[in-house]
Amino acid sequence: MLVLTRKLGESIAIDDHIKIRVVQIKGKQVRLGIEAPKDTKIHREEVYQAIQTQNEQSALSSSENSRAVAKLLKT
């Protein structure tokens, strides 16, 4: 993991397309601004994990439903 120190108003560049800027510091919270192409998906970690879990559950559910429908169609 790369750890960088930035002050208010300073930024970090990732590749040529993503820039992360420190917008506000208030107590223990840091507000970040992210400039990235529109097709780049950006989520808070907890939201990203929830999406991944839901996608996994959906994939399992879809295969079970497909088998049930196939079984009904065979009869």
Side-chain angles (χ1 to χ4, degrees):
M1 175 188 303
L2 173 65
V3 178
L4 300 172
T5 302
R6 300 280 73 202
K7 294 178 182 176
L8 185 63
E10 294 181 334
S11 61
I12 298 167
I14 301 174
D15 263 348
D16 294 328
H17 309 292
I18 300 172
K19 186 184 285 187
I20 301 172
R21 181 179 307 274
V22 178
V23 176
Q24 183 181 36
I25 302 170
K26 191 186 268 187
K28 291 186 177 184
Q29 288 187 330
V30 177
R31 182 170 278 191
L32 302 174
I34 302 170
E35 295 175 25
K38 289 185 179 188
D39 61 336
T40 302
K41 296 176 184 171
I42 302 171
H43 302 286
R44 295 189 323 259
E45 180 69 21
E46 62 274 15
V47 172
Y48 176 78
Q49 292 297 332
I51 291 169
Q52 295 303 311
T53 301
Q54 194 169 32
N55 286 343
E56 290 169 5
Q57 291 173 352
S58 178
L60 291 174
S61 175
S62 295
S63 62
E64 291 171 6
N65 290 343
S66 298
R67 283 190 215 114
V69 170
K71 187 176 180 181
L72 287 173
L73 292 174
K74 285 184 180 179
T75 58

